[in-house]
Amino acid sequence: MPSPDPGPELPENPWQRSRRVLRLAVPSASEMLLGMLVGLVNTYLVGHLGSASLTAVGLGSQWAMAAMVLFSAVGTGATALTARMIGASDHVGASRVVGQALAIAVVCGLLSTLLLVAFAEPAMLLMGAHGEAVTQGATYLRIISLVFPVSALMFVGNACLRGAGDTRTPLLVMAIVNVINVVIAWVLVEGIGPFPALGVAGAAWGSAAGRLAGGLLVLALLLGGRVGLRLRWRGPDREMAWRILRVGLPASLDQLIFRLGMLVWVRMVASLGTVAYAAHQIALNGESISFMPGWGFAMAATTLVGQGLGAGDHVRAEKDAMFCFGIAAAFMSVMGIIFVVAAPQIIGLFTSEAEVVAMGSTPLRLIGVVQPLLAAMMVFSGGLRGAGDTLTPMLVNGAAIWLLRVPLTLLATSWLGWGLTGVWLVMALDLTVRGVVLFWQFRGGRWKMVQV
């Protein structure tokens, strides 16, 4: 392992460090924004179709995110290993990671497609959907799941690129995904020109087309070579595949535990009625805007911690992660103030139904108050995963969702009758606890000893 370089590779000047961090974080944050825009555009386009359509897209998206659990194991492991190897200047090893990670991703994508196409209606019913929401939601789910094998290539390929320190290419890919999604979804939802108005199905086809193009583009870029990574398939590499999964499986289990808890939680929200769930979904989309800086600096922390450890410099790795948190907390605090002050206006961007606007405003204000803690949760989870410590976030997130969010939401809705406001009050408490615990775990420093 190379000894730490005290020269330009290890800048101590705050301005130099900020430039290095922002060079990674800003493209990642922008990528997150573009990724969120796919869901925001779909919500906006179907918003005027009524609460049933909003509920269909919202519940269908929950299952699609649950399917991403299979991709997260590969993506997290690939990011951590790629960052370590790039930090150690092992480009051949990093390219081996790419080949094995993408092969596993395709298998996971195929499995997800088969399950969701076969069980779309039962999945919607299990979430508490009724009537037209079941029919529309099942259609939405089947269409978007068709491209999972290719969109898995985008998800995991971008994870490899971020681990290598290239956050601009994933940003470019997501920009293309969004343009395709907006154009096709807008045309097919509304029925512009010779095209029929497909409603929710049109939004699904737009999303599927964008992700298909994104997956194929990432595949082409990696085949051609990018930032020292080049995709070359030389057959199964069991040792490398196991290293990827050994790091990634706890993250996948983390996501599985969390997503199962989220499905139960969302089922409780859906039981409050179609209008309440529509307000909930729109508030979530509004809140997702604040994920932009959190995601960007979490991704930067993942890459910088992994590369710092790969270069044998624990001090640099820790300072970079703390710097990422400081900037993310500042940005997200500003977003929180905007949520508190302008909640009705933000909700009103997605619907004209006065009842939905009124019901969604207080939840958005609640989540605005805890934005700095949300930043801590995201950035320190990213830092721990970059070090290869995926077990700690798994335990913290699993305990929070099952021991805090689910039971307290049941208490707030079924026993206390606090409705949607009670649901979001519990969510704010959950995010606060996780932010504090993950900060404490990162500062403890055990992640510096993790081997990958």
Side-chain angles (χ1 to χ4, degrees):
M1 181 178 292
S3 59
D5 180 3
E9 292 296 316
L10 301 173
E12 295 296 331
N13 184 293
W15 291 108
Q16 291 177 305
R17 172 170 272 110
S18 66
R19 289 179 59 190
R20 187 160 52 87
V21 170
L22 290 172
R23 191 164 55 242
L24 288 172
V26 170
S28 290
S30 302
E31 180 197 351
M32 178 62 174
L33 176 61
L34 291 175
M36 289 294 180
L37 278 177
V38 174
L40 290 171
V41 166
N42 288 343
T43 300
Y44 177 80
L45 289 174
V46 304
H48 70 279
L49 300 178
S51 297
S53 296
L54 277 170
T55 299
V57 171
L59 294 179
S61 298
Q62 287 294 324
W63 278 110
M65 287 189 289
M68 292 293 175
V69 167
L70 292 174
F71 308 157
S72 70
V74 191
T76 301
T79 299
L81 264 71
T82 302
R84 285 283 185 109
M85 291 179 178
I86 292 296
S89 299
D90 183 3
H91 294 280
V92 174
S95 294
R96 286 173 60 206
V97 173
V98 173
Q100 298 305 306
L102 292 185
I104 301 170
V106 170
V107 174
C108 293
L110 286 170
L111 179 60
S112 300
T113 296
L114 291 173
L115 289 173
L116 290 176
V117 167
F119 300 106
E121 280 92 357
M124 296 301 296
L125 289 169
L126 186 61
M127 293 297 292
H130 301 285
E132 190 61 25
V134 174
T135 304
Q136 293 185 37
T139 299
Y140 182 84
L141 191 53
R142 284 197 173 100
I143 293 171
I144 61 174
S145 66
L146 289 175
V147 299
F148 276 175
V150 181
S151 62
L153 293 176
M154 180 178 70
F155 185 94
V156 175
N158 282 343
C160 293
L161 290 167
R162 290 189 210 100
D166 179 6
T167 55
R168 294 183 180 180
T169 298
L171 171 61
L172 172 64
V173 170
M174 284 309 304
I176 294 171
V177 168
N178 269 272
V179 170
I180 294 172
N181 174 62
V182 169
V183 172
I184 295 179
W186 179 46
V187 169
L188 294 182
V189 170
E190 302 291 340
I192 296 174
F195 297 96
L198 300 180
V200 167
W205 281 118
S207 179
R211 295 181 193 280
L212 177 65
L216 294 176
L217 178 57
V218 170
L219 180 64
L221 289 171
L222 289 173
L223 283 170
R226 198 79 174 177
V227 289
L229 303 179
R230 182 179 294 273
L231 174 59
R232 290 291 183 268
W233 177 249
R234 296 184 173 85
D237 184 338
R238 293 184 179 179
E239 187 269 337
M240 182 59 72
W242 171 241
R243 290 181 69 184
I244 293 170
L245 293 176
R246 186 177 62 195
V247 174
L249 281 174
S252 181
L253 184 57
D254 174 10
Q255 287 297 306
L256 178 61
I257 293 170
F258 181 75
R259 282 296 157 200
L260 287 174
M262 284 296 292
L263 290 174
V264 173
W265 183 67
V266 170
R267 177 66 179 82
M268 294 179 190
V269 180
S271 70
L272 298 175
T274 301
V275 173
Y277 188 79
H280 169 77
Q281 183 61 34
I282 291 174
L284 280 178
N285 279 304
E287 181 213 7
S288 69
I289 299 170
S290 70
F291 287 3
M292 178 183 64
W295 170 266
F297 288 103
M299 289 298 99
T302 298
T303 299
L304 292 169
V305 168
Q307 290 185 357
L309 293 179
D313 192 338
H314 297 169
V315 174
R316 187 184 84 183
E318 183 169 6
K319 285 184 176 180
D320 284 347
M322 293 303 298
F323 193 83
C324 287
F325 166 65
I327 302 179
F331 275 108
M332 294 178 73
S333 294
V334 173
M335 292 302 304
I337 293 171
I338 294 173
F339 290 161
V340 171
V341 173
Q345 290 77 15
I346 294 172
I347 301 295
L349 292 173
F350 299 96
T351 182
S352 58
E353 297 184 29
E355 187 178 3
V356 175
V357 172
M359 196 173 290
S361 296
T362 298
L364 193 57
R365 288 188 174 112
L366 284 171
I367 216 65
V369 175
V370 298
Q371 286 296 303
L373 282 306
L374 178 57
M377 185 197 79
M378 298 178 76
V379 172
F380 293 120
S381 287
L384 290 169
R385 291 187 179 112
D389 179 9
T390 49
L391 182 61
T392 297
M394 181 193 77
L395 295 175
V396 172
N397 292 331
I401 193 72
W402 285 104
L403 301 181
L404 192 64
R405 184 179 295 203
V406 168
L408 290 185
T409 298
L410 181 63
L411 174 66
T413 56
S414 298
W415 294 356
L416 299 178
W418 289 354
L420 190 61
T421 297
V423 169
W424 280 64
L425 186 62
V426 170
M427 183 168 73
L429 176 62
D430 170 17
L431 297 177
T432 297
V433 171
R434 276 193 278 168
V436 171
V437 172
L438 286 166
F439 168 76
W440 175 68
Q441 287 292 323
F442 187 85
R443 292 294 288 174
R446 285 183 296 176
W447 52 272
K448 298 175 184 177
M449 302 295 107
V450 174
Q451 300 296 317
V452 298

